[in-house]
Each structure stands twice: as structure tokens, then as C-alpha cells.
């Protein structure tokens, strides 16, 4: 069972202490912290834009994003035992004669234009009723009132209605009956609304991250006028996403640029060290005797032949496909074997001509030796078909694990391709900085994964109706758990990584809010911002 403790959640910050052991990471974190004062104005502008659009959204769409198409013209009574969901036979009776089951003999008060003489205190719906309003589930969209041309209108015979009256009074006592209208994945489980500034800011934050913003736009277009909904959404993306978000990135980038001299000095020292080692190796090679084999393996024609073999190896590997005929498979295996013989001969000639010590000085030779050994192991485990072997992999034409190493042989082209070699050297020189980012990212994901387990572990379980399963029933462990969850550390890490990449993060947000409450949204707002 979940054991959510704020004090225990603080413990997950302990792994951050490990940053002090990495000088590069300390410099990286320092640059991020130094950018905070400059970000203050940007964050202030961002919050101002959010609030402005939030208020505008409440004014334009407040109360409109809870209306869906109904099968009856008015709410009807629940069964005597108030069971939910309503049995199908009872619903059939209601649809056959809705007037006999009418909930309240009073005006619906569903639109502000139809509420003269009423107020929140005098509304006949100020007292919730034991009723429900059958939903047209196959429609599945929000609907617009008759006074808004262009929005989504219900099919003939249906009524566009809300579970709240025009003053915000809930119509029904049964909580499931109140949630039923919007409790679908297509409508984000009813969390995407502009009914108040809190919900509006959450909806705006989702749109600004560009995750599902088109769905939010379509919902506003269906519930009001399409032009109004589209203009609001496009303006929000342009100003709050493209403009303000890019300002944030620019400020952080400027702070990193100010730290560039230190990083450049470090890279220069690495480059000088590499050059010194190279010169030392070349100087030592000048005093070694040069045999005919040495002249052979260092000749440019020898390198060109090997380059052609590498390109041929890449082409042959690219011809692998599924399904593949037996003859094609046999021909490719023969080509693989011939190329393997070429690379084995190359390795042996270089070992004999250069000597073991000088052979190992060239990292490309070591790289090639590893690939050749992997090829030999693969050939020993799975001999080619033309050698009479009956052993074959479970999937004809598939590239085995060892054979996949041959794909990396294309990097040997950098030996004679100067621009590619320089590029690889630059990448190698920046590995240290990339490593600092990687360690920081891992700590970030790990900490938030632990926090997610504390807050949401074993809370995202739902019954067949999509409602949270209570913790005090035997059926709790039989509830449906979404793929993205925080029940275990591996899944929590995968879920956090999914959220920071921005892929379907709002889906995880709504699942957590369904299993907990609106406070769960704070975690999902802080996580992408960090």
C-alpha cells in the first residue's frame, strides 16, 4: 500500500551530494545556478503571460467545457437502489418514456441566456438530486449551446447539457453520475477545462509544452465558436511557447557561453596531450626497421583495398531483410565469410608487419581487432550454410548479435577520411563535458523517480469504469495499472524519462490526478521545468 510521507520524500535528494565528487559537474551546476538571477525576469514574464491567457480562457470558455450530448432532454431519476452504472434494462425504460422518469419539474438553467429571474441561491438545482443525465457516448465530443454557431452540435434528438446549472450548482448527489459525462480519455478525464484559474493554468501549461495542445484547441472549438478557440490556441503557442520559452533557452545559453573560456582551455589541454602522444608514437616508429610487410600494410593501395572491403561489408549488411529466400541467405553468408577472410588477413598482415606493440598504438587497429574477433566467434557459433551447417538462427536473415558488430567497421573509414577523423577527435574531446551532463541527467531522473514512487506508488490502479480502486478492498491488486506508473523503480525511471522528453506526459499527469487529486499536478509541473 502507498506510504506517502513528505519527510521521507526529502531523503531522495541525498544522491545529489555525489555532484561534489565531479569537478566538471560542479562547474555545470554552478553555471545553471548563475543563470537563475537572469531567469528571474523571464520567469516573471512567463507567469504574466500564463495568467493573462488563463484569465482570458476563463472568460471565453468558463463553464462551456462540461457540456456533452445527452440522450434525453432533461435529467432523469436513478434507480431506487441508486446503483451505478445504471443497468441497461433501466436505461432502455428511460429512453422509451423519459417523461415518466423526469428528475425535477423545473427549468434546466443550462445556459446563461435562459436564466432570467434566477440566481445561484434561487436555482431549483441548488440542492443536488438523486438523478443522472444519460450521455451519448458514441459522440464523445464537447458540444456548443444553440447560441454559438459553428461549434459542435449534437445529433438530431440529442440535447447538449451539463451536469452543472448555469450558476455552477452540481445537479446530482451521486459522484459517479457527476463525473460520468467527461470521464473519458478522449476528454482528458475532465481535467482540461477553463472553469477556474487553477484549471486554466494547468491547461495552459500543457499547451505550452506542445503536448496535446491540438486536442485542447479542438475541445475549445467544439464547446464555443471554432474561430475563437483556434485564435486563442494559436496565440497561446506563439507567445507563451515559441517566444517566452526561447527567451529562457537564450538566457541559459548565454550563461554557458560566459563559462566557455574555461571549457575551451580544458579541451586545448586534451588536444595537446593527444598530439604529444601521437608525435611520440610517430617518432618511435621512425627508428623501427621497415620490413617488406611493413611497407605493404602502410602503402596507400593497401588502405584503399581495405576501404573498398569496408564499403562492401556495409552494402552486404544492408541487403539483409525479412523474409528472405534460402538462396539469398546463402549468398549473403558467403559474401560475409569472404569479407571476414579479407579482414582476418588484414589483421594478421598488420600484426606481422607492424609488430604487436606498434599495432596496438593505433586505436583503429584495436577497434578492428575487436570486430574481427566478434566475427570469428559468430562464425564458430553459427557456421555458414555453405559449410554444411544445419544450425541456423530462429529468424532467417536476422543479424546476430556478433554480426551486428560489423556495422561499426564503417568508422574505420575515418583512418583515411581526414574530415571524419577530425570530427571523431572533436567528439572524443567533448566526451568529458557530455559525461557531466549524463551524470547530472541520471541523478535528476533518479531523484524524481524516487519522489514519484513516494507520491504515486500503487495509487494509479483503476477499475473497469476508469475509477480509482480503493485501498481497503480485496480487488485493489486486480485493478488495471497503466503502462507508465511509479510502482517500481525501473518503471518510475522510465516514466520520468518519458515525461522529460515530452512524449504523452499529459497522459501520465491525468492518470496520477485520477488516482490522487489535483495536487498531483504540482509534481508534473515542476518536473518538466527542471
Amino acid at each position: 500500500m502507498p506510504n506517502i510521507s513528505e519527510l521521507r520524500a526529502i531523503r531522495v535528494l541525498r544522491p545529489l551530494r555525489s555532484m561534489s565528487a565531479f569537478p566538471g559537474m560542479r562547474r555545470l551546476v554552478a553555471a545553471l545556478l548563475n543563470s537563475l538571477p537572469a531567469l528571474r525576469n523571464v520567469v516573471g514574464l512567463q507567469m504574466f503571460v500564463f495568467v493573462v491567457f488563463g484569465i482570458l480562457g476563463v472568460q471565453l470558455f468558463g463553464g462551456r467545457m462540461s457540456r456533452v450530448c445527452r440522450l434525453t432532454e432533461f435529467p432523469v431519476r436513478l434507480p431506487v437502489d441508486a446503483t451505478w452504472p445504471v443497468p441497461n434494462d433501466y436505461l432502455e425504460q428511460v429512453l422509451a418514456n423519459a417523461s415518466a422518469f423526469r428528475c425535477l419539474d423545473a427549468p434546466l438553467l443550462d445556459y446563461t441566456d435562459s436564466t432570467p429571474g434566477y440566481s445561484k441561491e434561487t436555482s431549483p438545482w441548488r440542492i443536488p438530486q438523486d438523478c443522472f443525465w444519460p450521455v451519448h457516448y458514441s459522440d464523445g465530443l464537447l458540444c456548443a449551446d444553440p447560441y454559438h454557431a459553428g461549434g459542435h452540435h449534437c445529433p438530431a434528438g440529442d440535447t447538449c447539457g451539463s451536469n452543472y446549472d448555469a450558476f455552477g450548482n452540481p445537479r446530482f448527489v451521486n459522484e459517479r453520475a457527476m463525473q460520468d459525462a467527461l470521464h473519458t480519455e478522449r476528454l482528458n478525464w475532465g481535467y482540461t477545462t477553463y472553469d477556474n484559474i487553477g484549471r486554466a493554468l494547468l491547461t495552459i501549461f500543457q499547451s505550452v509544452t506542445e503536448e496535446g495542445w491540438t486536442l485542447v484547441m479542438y475541445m475549445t472549438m467544439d464547446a464555443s465558436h471554432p474561430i475563437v478557440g483556434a485564435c486563442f490556441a494559436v496565440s497561446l503557442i506563439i507567445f507563451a511557447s515559441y517566444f517566452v520559452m526561447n527567451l529562457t533557452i537564450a538566457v541559459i545559453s548565454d550563461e554557458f557561453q560566459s563559462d566557455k573560456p574555461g571549457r575551451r582551455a580544458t579541451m586545448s589541454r586534451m588536444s595537446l596531450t593527444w598530439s604529444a602522444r601521437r608525435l611520440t608514437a610517430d617518432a618511435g616508429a621512425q627508428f623501427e626497421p621497415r620490413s617488406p610487410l611493413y611497407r605493404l600494410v602502410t602503402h596507400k593501395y593497401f588502405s584503399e583495398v581495405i576501404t573498398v572491403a569496408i564499403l562492401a561489408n556495409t552494402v552486404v549488411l544492408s541487403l539483409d531483410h525479412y523474409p528472405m529466400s534460402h538462396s539469398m541467405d546463402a549468398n549473403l553468408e558467403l559474401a560475409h565469410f569472404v569479407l571476414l577472410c579479407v579482414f582476418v588477413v588484414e589483421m594478421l598482415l598488420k600484426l606481422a608487419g607492424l609488430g604487436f606493440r606498434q599495432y596496438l598504438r593505433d586505436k583503429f587497429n584495436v577497434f578492428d581487432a575487436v570486430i574481427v574477433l566478434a566475427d570469428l566467434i559468430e562464425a564458430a557459433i553459427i557456421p555458414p550454410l555453405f559449410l554444411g551447417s544445419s544450425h541456423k538462427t530462429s529468424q532467417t536473415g536476422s543479424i546476430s548479435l556478433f554480426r551486428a558488430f560489423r556495422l561499426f567497421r564503417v568508422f574505420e573509414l575515418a583512418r583515411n577520411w581526414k574530415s571524419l577523423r577530425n570530427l571523431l577527435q572533436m567528439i572524443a574531446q567533448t566526451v568529458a563535458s557530455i559525461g557531466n551532463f549524463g551524470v547530472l541527467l541520471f541523478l535528476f531522473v533518479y531523484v524524481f523517480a524516487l519522489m514519484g514512487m513516494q507520491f504515486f506508488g500503487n495509487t494509479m490502479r483503476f477499475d473497469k469504469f476508469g475509477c480509482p480502486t480503493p485501498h481497503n478492498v480485496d480487488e485493489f491488486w486486480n485493478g488495471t495499472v497503466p503502462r507508465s506508473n511509479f510502482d517500481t523503480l525501473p518503471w518510475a525511471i522510465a516514466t520520468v524519462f518519458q515525461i522529460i522528453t515530452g512524449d504523452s506526459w499529459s497522459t501520465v499527469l491525468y492518470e496520477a490526478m485520477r488516482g490522487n487529486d489535483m495536487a498531483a499536478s504540482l509534481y508534473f509541473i515542476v518536473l518538466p521545468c527542471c
Side-chain angles (χ1 to χ4, degrees):
M1 296 301 170
N3 184 15
I4 300 177
S5 171
E6 289 77 4
L7 295 178
R8 179 176 296 179
I10 297 177
R11 301 177 187 175
V12 303
L13 301 177
R14 288 177 179 172
L16 296 178
R17 297 173 57 187
S18 61
M19 291 190 299
S20 60
F22 300 92
M25 189 178 297
R26 288 202 305 268
R27 186 167 58 251
L28 175 63
V29 174
L32 289 174
L33 294 178
N34 291 336
S35 65
L36 292 181
L39 283 174
R40 181 174 53 192
N41 295 330
V42 177
V43 172
L45 174 62
Q46 197 170 40
M47 292 303 301
F48 175 76
V49 173
F50 279 21
V51 171
V52 168
F53 274 96
I55 295 174
L56 184 60
V58 172
Q59 297 299 318
L60 293 176
F61 312 114
R64 301 185 184 278
M65 300 180 69
S66 61
R67 298 173 182 151
V68 296
C69 295
R70 312 288 179 155
L71 297 175
T72 59
E73 296 181 5
F74 38 75
V76 294
R77 295 191 302 273
L78 281 171
V80 177
D81 55 0
T83 57
W84 191 269
V86 176
N88 290 332
D89 55 349
Y90 182 83
L91 184 59
E92 291 176 358
Q93 297 177 27
V94 168
L95 297 180
N97 186 12
S99 300
F101 297 87
R102 183 161 186 156
C103 174
L104 194 64
D105 189 13
L108 283 177
L109 304 183
D110 199 43
Y111 306 108
T112 54
D113 295 342
S114 62
T115 57
Y118 289 97
S119 65
K120 185 178 180 65
E121 292 73 20
T122 61
S123 170
W125 298 98
R126 67 186 183 279
I127 301 176
Q129 307 293 318
D130 285 325
C131 303
F132 75 105
W133 202 346
V135 177
H136 190 168
Y137 295 107
S138 60
D139 183 79
L141 300 174
L142 297 180
C143 58
D145 59 61
Y147 305 100
H148 283 79
H152 174 67
H153 296 289
C154 297
D158 287 359
T159 302
C160 180
S162 170
N163 288 342
Y164 298 86
D165 67 6
F167 306 103
N169 293 313
R171 299 183 190 274
F172 313 129
V173 175
N174 191 296
E175 184 178 355
R176 294 285 185 89
M178 286 296 301
Q179 297 176 351
D180 180 58
L182 304 177
H183 198 68
T184 63
E185 185 176 3
R186 190 173 185 178
L187 298 179
N188 291 336
W189 309 103
Y191 291 114
T192 301
T193 68
Y194 288 94
D195 291 346
N196 55 64
I197 190 64
R199 291 288 183 91
L201 291 177
L202 179 61
T203 303
I204 287 173
F205 182 79
Q206 174 190 341
S207 300
V208 166
T209 62
E210 300 181 28
E211 164 60 29
W213 74 271
T214 53
L215 175 60
V216 178
M217 179 181 68
Y218 297 149
M219 292 174 66
T220 57
M221 293 171 66
D222 291 338
S224 63
H225 198 286
I227 296 179
V228 175
C231 291
F232 179 85
V234 172
S235 301
L236 176 63
I237 294 298
I238 291 176
F239 288 102
S241 182
Y242 292 160
F243 181 69
V244 180
M245 287 296 185
N246 285 332
L247 276 180
T248 305
I249 296 174
V251 170
I252 297 177
S253 176
D254 183 68
E255 186 60 36
F256 275 96
Q257 289 294 328
S258 64
D259 188 52
K260 192 173 182 179
R263 298 197 306 273
R264 185 178 297 170
T266 301
M267 293 177 62
S268 298
R269 288 194 298 270
M270 294 173 60
S271 179
L272 289 174
T273 302
W274 183 87
S275 300
R277 292 177 179 176
R278 184 73 178 179
L279 290 174
T280 302
D282 293 342
Q286 293 178 359
F287 296 99
E288 294 182 1
R290 298 188 176 184
S291 62
L293 279 179
Y294 180 90
R295 290 192 293 269
L296 172 64
V297 297
T298 57
H299 199 280
K300 67 174 183 177
Y301 289 149
F302 183 85
S303 299
E304 291 176 357
V305 170
I306 298 302
T307 299
V308 172
I310 293 173
L311 294 175
N313 174 78
T314 305
V315 172
V316 171
L317 285 175
S318 66
L319 295 177
D320 241 331
H321 60 277
Y322 179 84
M324 185 164 54
S325 64
H326 181 77
S327 59
M328 182 67 174
D329 191 15
N331 292 333
L332 287 181
E333 287 205 358
L334 177 60
H336 284 310
F337 187 79
V338 171
L339 290 170
L340 173 60
C341 293
V342 172
F343 295 126
V344 169
V345 171
E346 177 206 8
M347 183 180 69
L348 295 177
L349 288 176
K350 285 188 174 181
L351 283 171
L354 301 176
F356 186 75
R357 181 176 299 178
Q358 187 174 349
Y359 179 85
L360 294 180
R361 286 175 182 170
D362 191 338
K363 302 302 181 183
F364 284 106
N365 289 336
V366 177
F367 181 67
D368 179 67
V370 172
I371 297 177
V372 170
L373 290 176
D375 283 344
L376 292 174
I377 294 174
E378 189 257 342
I381 296 176
I382 310 175
L385 291 175
F386 66 87
L387 294 180
S389 171
S390 59
H391 180 70
K392 190 59 183 167
T393 56
S394 58
Q395 186 179 15
T396 303
S398 63
I399 302 177
S400 66
L401 176 62
F402 291 105
R403 183 178 297 179
F405 277 97
R406 299 180 185 179
L407 295 171
F408 297 104
R409 186 172 278 122
V410 70
F411 289 107
E412 288 191 55
L413 296 175
R415 188 197 302 268
N416 300 316
W417 190 351
K418 184 177 179 180
S419 58
L420 179 59
R421 185 173 67 250
N422 293 337
L423 179 61
L424 292 177
Q425 290 174 2
M426 292 175 60
I427 293 175
Q429 292 171 1
T430 56
V431 165
S433 298
I434 296 175
N436 292 329
F437 275 107
V439 174
L440 182 61
L441 176 62
F442 174 78
L443 288 176
F444 173 85
V445 172
Y446 182 70
V447 167
F448 271 92
L450 294 179
M451 292 178 63
M453 293 178 66
Q454 291 296 318
F455 294 143
F456 311 118
N458 288 328
T459 64
M460 299 163 64
R461 293 177 180 269
F462 308 99
D463 58 21
K464 61 181 179 179
F465 304 111
C467 298
T469 304
H471 293 91
N472 56 355
V473 296
D474 296 335
E475 292 81 8
F476 170 75
W477 296 108
N478 295 326
T480 302
V481 181
R483 184 179 294 272
S484 300
N485 59 75
F486 295 90
D487 291 353
T488 62
L489 182 59
W491 269 117
I493 291 176
T495 301
V496 170
F497 191 77
Q498 171 189 344
I499 294 171
I500 63 178
T501 59
D503 181 52
S504 301
W505 74 269
S506 60
T507 302
V508 187
L509 163 68
Y510 297 134
E511 301 287 2
M513 291 171 63
R514 278 202 297 156
N516 297 271
D517 50 35
M518 281 292 296
S521 61
L522 296 177
Y523 175 88
F524 293 88
I525 292 175
V526 173
L527 176 54
C529 290
C530 293

